[in-house]
Amino acid sequence: MRKLQYFFMAAAALLLASPVYAQEAANASSQGMLYIAAGLGMALAAGLCGLAQGKATASAAEALARNPGARPGIFTFLILGLAFIESLALFTFVIIFLKVK
């Protein structure tokens, strides 16, 4: 499993570095790639934030089932965690909004 992870990290690095070698052609096609990258970035951010929020909510529900007396503390940290998770998607949206014109 670890070797597969290293393989995909190396493949991603090689694929992201390939436009560097085509300096003149990059100016013509970089705008199209920017839109594709923006769409993929927002899709990744939204999807992973959704998974993280589901996991946080499930963990909070399990914690409440185990110890109902700790509801105020669990609720406070749940809301704080959900706000931080959602802010990651919003930061991605703002960066994309500023970069794509």
Side-chain angles (χ1 to χ4, degrees), residues 18-33:
S18 63
V20 171
Y21 299 112
Q23 293 292 327
E24 293 177 19
N27 292 335
S29 67
S30 65
Q31 195 66 20
M33 292 298 279

Side-chain angles (χ1 to χ4, degrees), residues 16 32-48 92 96 100:
L16 292 175
M33 292 298 279
L34 180 69
Y35 294 130
I36 292 172
L40 286 175
M42 193 62 216
L44 233 120
L48 292 178
T92 304
I96 289 171
V100 176

Side-chain angles (χ1 to χ4, degrees), residues 34-86:
L34 180 69
Y35 294 130
I36 292 172
L40 286 175
M42 193 62 216
L44 233 120
L48 292 178
C49 284
L51 288 173
Q53 286 178 345
K55 185 165 175 56
T57 306
S59 297
E62 183 179 338
L64 280 173
R66 290 176 185 239
N67 189 3
R71 184 188 181 281
I74 293 170
F75 185 72
T76 302
F77 286 117
L78 172 67
I79 296 299
L80 185 65
L82 289 176
F84 283 144
I85 292 168
E86 188 63 31

